[in-house]
Structures are given as C-alpha cells and as structure tokens.
C-alpha cells in the first residue's frame, strides 16, 4: 500500500538521510500481504508506519551507523574514487526505501547513495523493537 506522499514529506522534512517520497520508484509503503485488501489496511497500520518513520528520521544516523560495516567500503559496487573512506561512505548513505510488513511491523530499508553506489544498496531489516534482523550488501 502506497502512502500519502505529503505526510511522508512532512515527517522527513529536510533530513538528508531520506530521499523524497516523490522520487521514482516509490520507496515508502506497507507491504500488501497475501490475502489483504486495501480495506484491511486500517488506520492503525498506517499510524504505526508513520510513527516508525518518525522514529527513523529522529534516529537516522544511529540506525545507519549500527547497520554499517566498514567492510562494505571494499564492496565491488562502491566507487572508491568518489568516496574516500568507510566513515565518509557511512555518513553519506541515505534511506532509499522504507517498507513495513504489517503482521510483525518489521521495517526493511535499502541504504544507498547513487553517487558512489549506483545500482547497489545495503538492505537492512529491523524488527518491531528496532533490533537488526539482517544486513547485506548487493
């Protein structure tokens, strides 16, 4: 379920760690679970999503840093002529997507920066308590 872009933009504000909800492809949504119709996405799920997004905006640096591994800098898809160190890479990553699974309120995001990781990303999933479930780079 794609959400209201204006509300998302209002939550994100000018935080450099999040891309615009108006960019394509759309990266802000709740996963349409098997057997759920749009009517099943009641306001409770939508409000939980917006609260999780607010939390992520407020804690963006900490969330990115906790998911980042210095070894990602050595990944073949990172153009090291455009980013000079693991610390710089980590500081310039942004949330390319922010997706919630309604059943368990897990958040999955792709962290990227098209300037030095064009076509590649770090996928991170957090459980409902913001504990990292998994991280991998592609």
């Amino acid at each position: 379920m794609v959400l209201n872009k204006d509300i998302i933009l209002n939550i994100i504000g000018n935080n450099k760690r999040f891309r615009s909800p108006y960019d394509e492809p759309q990266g802000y949504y709740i996963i349409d679970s098997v057997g759920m119709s749009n009517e099943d996405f009641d306001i409770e799920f939508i409000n939980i999503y917006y609260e999780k997004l607010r939390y992520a905006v407020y804690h963006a640096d900490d969330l990115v840093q906790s998911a980042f591994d210095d070894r990602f800098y050595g990944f073949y898809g990172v153009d090291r002529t455009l980013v000079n160190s693991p610390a710089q890479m980590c500081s310039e990553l942004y949330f390319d997507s922010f997706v919630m699974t309604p059943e368990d309120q897990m958040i999955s995001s792709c962290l990227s920066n098209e300037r030095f990781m064009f076509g590649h990303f770090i996928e991170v999933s957090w459980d409902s308590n913001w504990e990292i479930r998994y991280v991998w780079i592609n």
Side-chain angles (χ1 to χ4, degrees), residues 1 13-16 19 22 25-26 31 34 38 41 49 55 60 89-90 95-97 108 110-111 115 135-136 138:
M1 167 181 219
N14 59 359
N15 190 313
K16 69 178 178 92
R19 94 179 228 255
Y22 292 99
Q26 172 60 266
I31 291 177
V34 176
N38 279 347
F41 284 101
Y49 179 93
Y55 179 92
M89 180 181 172
C90 182
F95 285 78
D96 200 34
S97 62
S108 295
C110 289
L111 306 176
R115 185 176 68 80
V135 179
W136 65 282
N138 182 18

Side-chain angles (χ1 to χ4, degrees), residues 82-99:
L82 299 174
V83 63
N84 299 319
S85 68
Q88 181 187 7
M89 180 181 172
C90 182
S91 72
E92 294 182 18
L93 291 172
Y94 57 82
F95 285 78
D96 200 34
S97 62
F98 193 86
V99 179

Side-chain angles (χ1 to χ4, degrees), residues 3-136:
L3 301 163
N4 186 305
K5 293 176 184 180
D6 292 332
I7 293 172
I8 291 169
L9 187 60
N10 186 46
I11 292 169
I12 293 169
N14 59 359
N15 190 313
K16 69 178 178 92
R17 290 282 196 180
F18 291 82
R19 94 179 228 255
S20 171
Y22 292 99
D23 290 348
E24 291 296 330
Q26 172 60 266
Y28 298 91
Y29 56 92
I30 298 172
I31 291 177
D32 294 332
S33 297
V34 176
M36 291 182 81
S37 66
N38 279 347
E39 295 81 41
D40 293 327
F41 284 101
D42 63 19
I43 195 72
E44 178 185 357
F45 286 133
I46 295 169
N47 286 336
I48 290 169
Y49 179 93
Y50 291 144
E51 284 305 312
K52 289 195 172 290
L53 182 58
R54 282 184 192 92
Y55 179 92
V57 168
Y58 186 77
H59 297 284
D61 289 335
D62 292 335
L63 291 170
V64 171
Q65 289 169 5
S66 68
F68 187 77
D69 185 318
D70 285 353
R71 292 178 291 184
F72 293 159
Y73 181 71
F75 179 67
Y76 76 91
V78 175
D79 186 340
R80 286 176 293 287
T81 65
L82 299 174
V83 63
N84 299 319
S85 68
Q88 181 187 7
M89 180 181 172
C90 182
S91 72
E92 294 182 18
L93 291 172
Y94 57 82
F95 285 78
D96 200 34
S97 62
F98 193 86
V99 179
M100 186 179 87
T101 308
E103 296 85 3
D104 55 10
Q105 291 147 26
M106 186 170 88
I107 297 294
S108 295
S109 295
C110 289
L111 306 176
S112 190
N113 185 312
E114 64 185 19
R115 185 176 68 80
F116 57 82
M117 285 182 69
F118 188 80
H120 298 281
F121 54 88
I122 299 167
E123 186 173 349
V124 185
S125 287
W126 293 272
D127 67 16
S128 61
N129 295 314
W130 292 101
E131 297 294 326
I132 293 176
R133 300 282 304 265
Y134 70 88
V135 179
W136 65 282

